[in-house]
Amino acid sequence: MGSRIVPPAPMRGSNGVAFGPDGRLYVAQFLSGLISAVDLASGDVEVVAGADSPVRSPDDLAFGADGSMYVTDLVPGRVWRHAPDGEYALVSDDVALPNGIACAGDRLFVNEMRMGGRLLELFPGGAGPVVLADGLAMGNAMQLGPDGFLYYPHMMTGEVFRVPPDGGPAELVADGVHEPVAVRFDRGGVLLVLSRGRAGIVTRIDAGGRSTVETGIAGLDNAAFDDENRMFVSSFAGGGIAEVQPDGRWREVVPRGLAGPFGVTVDLAGTVSAADHYRVTRVGDTGLTMREMLVFSHGIAADGPLLHVTSQYGDVRTYDPATGTVRTRATGLAQPMGLAVGDGRLVVAESGAGRVVAIDADDVLTVLAEGLSRPVDVAAADGTWYVSDEAAGAVLRLPEALPVAAGLQAPQGIAVRGNELFVVEAGAGRLTAVGLGTGETRVEVEDLAVLPPAGEPLFAHGMPGLPGRFAGVAAAPDGTLYVAANGEGTVVRVPSGR
């Protein structure tokens, strides 16, 4: 099946965290739809809510006085109770993008991650919600403070507020906080605010004023403190769990890894880069190195020193690693996915519009083909362009849209090596070779850990929802193929000459 160049990710991004009655740290994983429990002494990870649970996109969690686990299911807009006996019950489906959640004894509070969002008290017994605050500029992880107030962030305005849980006006606690994503109190009652940015900033606010440390953990998401006041943090970008010291130093408890990956590319020097939803990451035998936090990166193509990426939410961007600059090449496209470089143009599979488009050096867009079912990826050979059509089960030659191979099972990523085109059949979990001159097919790799297509919504209440699935493939200059194994969070290397 080829060889993995990095180990499979134990967690596909890590989000809300909370200690359970058994002393383990429970972790919500938004992208993979899982909830895991971590034994902090050993680092062992157990999935406690898997694909068979009703929770689809868990973002945060908290435990009630009776040991029940309450979970915010962000994209469908639901809040769930997972009872100690294992049963799930729907608490509410009246919350738009529920994110932050907190329990105070038998009371349950949830906020919304959207502009103009609300902070509500919910009642598992069935009573209607009570609004405690509104006008939130994207709420997120919150907690009841030692003074009895609920503290929560406004992610978009850099502010922290508090509100009385029994009603009353919201009060500003702090402004000018760097990209706040979570507010947490340690065991001594000190307020700490986590930043979602690349530097991994933690802001400490107490009677002595305000101070900050940089952890270097990109995309911090949430934190929990154990009985010894040790701070454990999650990362939506890199996953894993780390223990963070007051001075910002940290140790890994659960290794970080890839959240997808989705697109994969190889430059002329043989450097492999992956588009990993929240970031672009270099993938090599020595591990992962984040190149840039380019949120919603999906397709990726190397072009000399540059990297071009698509966002399913409509953008095509060019990133220059040497300068750290990002240039937007196109906006408003309908779910652009895979892309490739040829003839001085970027060629993009615009899945949602059923067409393939080209973007020239001046960012002028032209249509190469339209009327396709669901184009997913593109590749070129000797001046001829090819596209995979997931819904049609075919690879087509452009501009005529003539079938090169048909009867494929959800073809996604494609790449050309010599006189063969390689396609990831996501529906069959395999990499298939197609003869460009003959149309003959053979299976190159079986049992690939790739996910089949799923109909996730791209937007929820105007905000990005779950990303659509995409398993890319790329050919290196030496003929080695690299496949994005999005079913386990790794990249698979397939040597030339297999």
Side-chain angles (χ1 to χ4, degrees):
M1 63 165 290
S3 60
R4 303 179 180 98
I5 59 175
V6 291
M11 294 178 180
R12 315 294 293 284
S14 52
N15 302 91
V17 292
F19 281 98
D22 59 4
R24 294 188 295 175
L25 185 68
Y26 285 70
V27 186
Q29 299 160 68
F30 169 75
L31 288 177
S32 62
L34 306 177
I35 298 173
S36 297
V38 179
D39 183 321
L40 294 174
S42 64
D44 291 341
V45 178
E46 178 191 357
V47 174
V48 295
D52 57 346
S53 89
V55 184
R56 186 175 177 193
S57 54
D59 200 87
D60 203 357
L61 49 83
F63 285 89
D66 66 349
S68 291
M69 180 173 66
Y70 293 92
V71 183
T72 51
D73 196 355
L74 191 145
V75 173
R78 302 184 181 118
V79 179
W80 297 93
R81 175 178 179 258
H82 185 219
D85 63 6
E87 292 297 317
Y88 287 91
L90 182 65
V91 175
S92 175
D93 58 3
D94 294 327
V95 187
L97 298 172
N99 192 324
I101 189 168
C103 291
D106 293 324
R107 301 179 70 180
L108 176 64
F109 304 92
V110 170
N111 65 37
E112 297 176 321
M113 193 187 73
R114 64 184 177 108
M115 297 302 293
R118 303 169 297 168
L119 192 160
L120 310 104
E121 181 171 7
L122 301 181
F123 300 93
V130 172
V131 178
L132 299 180
D134 55 18
L136 275 66
M138 294 185 65
N140 211 301
M142 63 181 180
Q143 189 172 358
L144 189 74
D147 57 5
F149 284 73
L150 278 168
Y151 286 70
Y152 57 95
H154 280 202
M155 287 201 293
M156 298 305 294
T157 60
E159 297 170 312
V160 175
F161 286 84
R162 69 176 187 176
V163 66
D166 293 323
E171 304 174 23
L172 178 65
V173 174
D175 58 9
V177 182
H178 184 264
E179 299 184 0
V181 69
V183 293
R184 283 290 180 259
F185 288 90
D186 70 9
R187 295 291 181 170
V190 174
L191 174 62
L192 296 110
V193 186
L194 279 64
S195 164
R196 68 183 186 276
R198 176 168 186 163
I201 294 172
V202 177
T203 300
R204 177 187 177 101
I205 302 173
D206 58 18
R210 183 188 302 188
S211 62
T212 62
V213 296
E214 291 190 10
T215 67
I217 302 173
L220 289 173
D221 193 280
N222 216 313
F225 292 85
D226 69 3
D227 292 338
E228 298 175 9
N229 207 29
R230 296 184 299 170
M231 181 182 186
F232 296 91
V233 303
S234 60
S235 166
F236 65 82
I241 296 294
E243 179 187 353
V244 174
Q245 302 294 329
D247 62 2
R249 292 178 300 161
W250 56 275
R251 71 173 182 91
E252 194 171 68
V253 178
V254 177
R256 293 177 290 175
L258 291 164
F262 298 97
V264 63
T265 191
V266 190
D267 65 19
L268 293 176
T271 300
V272 181
S273 296
D276 201 35
H277 193 60
Y278 295 114
R279 59 186 180 161
V280 170
T281 301
R282 182 185 292 113
V283 186
D285 293 319
T286 58
L288 303 174
T289 304
M290 189 180 75
R291 305 192 75 158
E292 190 60 62
M293 283 192 72
L294 288 176
V295 295
F296 309 136
S297 294
H298 215 65
I300 187 169
D303 182 10
L306 305 177
L307 291 170
H308 307 291
V309 297
T310 61
S311 160
Q312 289 183 93
Y313 307 107
D315 298 340
V316 180
R317 294 166 288 175
T318 296
Y319 167 60
D320 185 345
T323 62
T325 57
V326 179
R327 171 185 168 193
T328 299
R329 310 296 300 277
T331 60
L333 299 182
Q335 199 179 354
M337 299 279 274
L339 77 168
V341 180
D343 304 322
R345 301 180 295 175
L346 296 178
V347 176
V348 183
E350 191 181 1
S351 294
R355 62 182 189 170
V356 175
V357 299
I359 304 169
D360 69 13
D362 297 320
D363 299 340
V364 176
L365 187 146
T366 56
V367 177
L368 295 187
E370 54 190 344
L372 307 176
S373 298
R374 183 172 171 78
V376 173
D377 200 10
V378 290
D382 299 325
T384 299
W385 285 95
Y386 300 89
V387 62
S388 59
D389 192 321
E390 180 184 276
V395 173
L396 310 171
R397 186 176 70 230
L398 301 180
E400 305 93 342
L402 295 175
V404 176
L408 304 175
Q409 297 185 46
Q412 293 188 342
I414 59 174
V416 173
R417 184 181 71 189
N419 60 359
E420 289 186 310
L421 181 145
F422 294 83
V423 54
V424 178
E425 291 189 75
R430 65 191 179 205
L431 181 67
T432 299
V434 180
L436 291 178
T438 65
E440 294 180 356
T441 63
R442 61 181 172 82
V443 176
E444 178 76 0
V445 180
E446 294 184 291
D447 300 321
L448 277 175
V450 295
L451 296 171
E456 295 101 341
L458 285 178
F459 295 94
H461 298 280
M463 294 291 294
L466 290 167
R469 294 171 178 172
F470 172 47
V473 60
D478 66 358
T480 302
L481 299 173
Y482 293 88
V483 182
N486 60 10
E488 61 179 14
T490 188
V491 173
V492 172
R493 177 195 289 118
V494 182
S496 177
R498 277 177 53 90

